Amino acid sequence: MGTDRPRGLIAVTSVERLPSGQRAGFWLPEAAYPWRAMVTAGWDFEFVTTRDEEPAPGGIDRSDPPQRMFLEDPEVRRKLAAARSARHYDPADFPLVFAAGGPGAMWDFPSDARLSALLVAIFEAGGVVAAVCHGVAALVNANSADGDAFVSGRRMTGFSNREEEAIGLSAAVPFLLEDALVRRGAKFEAGEPFRPHVITDDRLVTGQNPASAAGVAQLATQLATGDPLPPNWLRRPAP
């Protein structure tokens, strides 16, 4: 795609409204922070979604510099408009992938077998897979090459039952993420609700909630590049 730089992939939901009518979209900081981490490290980036159409952001806070930079960046806008479903992407091209959250991800991520397979293929080729909050739903139905549940036996986290109940969506979402991961054999570790909580297991990095997005982005990018990000990476001007 016209660049020799390493490339990372950011997976975002295509669900703009929940069945209740509530606005959804991908949770902006959970895409903006990985983007900032990758561009700070000198990487290129692409977006993958569950439908061949431009995804819409939600959870926007323009007072947050990384989110504002994300929304104003012309390359981000161009690549969001070019976002396509997983069948258009070769896992060999991406040694790093982030799955961003937002409640809508609970509806389309688990049922997108090609997206799940793409994440697993990146991991099994030696890449880093990261997911935060509801974005961890992309791994719920993923299977490894041997047919076992990808999450089985892995230490990980995601949006917890307590948090889902606290925001009033426990009866609205199609399933509870924590319960689904445990049923598939994950070693689920929940931290304090709405506080940063990041788990690393080999090359899998998961974050519990939006407050964990920066930590996930930083750790996953460092795993993929072998180098730490500078202390001011979230507010550093884009190159």
Side-chain angles (χ1 to χ4, degrees), residues 12-17 24-26 48-56 84-85 104-105 108-109 112:
V12 293
T13 178
S14 292
V15 176
E16 293 187 32
R17 289 193 179 274
F26 64 89
V48 60
T49 189
T50 58
R51 293 200 293 265
D52 291 336
E53 59 186 43
E54 183 173 358
R84 295 294 180 265
S85 59
D108 62 346
F109 274 11
D112 191 331

Side-chain angles (χ1 to χ4, degrees), residues 145-195:
D146 59 10
D148 291 338
F150 175 76
V151 302
S152 181
R154 299 189 192 277
R155 294 178 59 237
M156 60 191 306
T157 190
F159 206 58
S160 68
N161 291 355
R162 289 176 66 191
E163 289 168 319
E164 207 74 80
E165 182 177 356
I167 66 171
L169 284 180
S170 57
V173 291
F175 59 91
L176 292 174
L177 182 55
E178 177 180 339
D179 289 352
L181 291 168
V182 170
R183 282 195 299 270
R184 294 278 279 169
K187 298 178 180 178
F188 190 90
E189 300 179 20
E192 288 298 312
F194 310 110
R195 301 284 294 176

Side-chain angles (χ1 to χ4, degrees), residues 99-126:
M106 294 289 286
W107 274 265
D108 62 346
F109 274 11
S111 60
D112 191 331
R114 288 188 174 183
L115 177 61
S116 298
L118 177 66
L119 270 60
V120 171
I122 289 171
F123 185 89
E124 293 186 338

Side-chain angles (χ1 to χ4, degrees), residues 32-83:
Y33 293 0
W35 165 74
R36 288 297 310 138
M38 284 191 288
V39 298
T40 300
W43 284 42
D44 201 357
F45 63 96
E46 303 288 342
F47 296 97
V48 60
T49 189
T50 58
R51 293 200 293 265
D52 291 336
E53 59 186 43
E54 183 173 358
I60 299 170
D61 178 4
R62 287 183 176 272
S63 69
D64 180 34
Q67 295 185 57
R68 188 169 63 250
M69 286 188 284
F70 182 96
L71 292 169
E72 295 173 355
D73 189 274
E75 187 73 354
V76 168
R77 291 197 296 268
R78 184 182 72 79
K79 290 187 174 181
L80 278 174

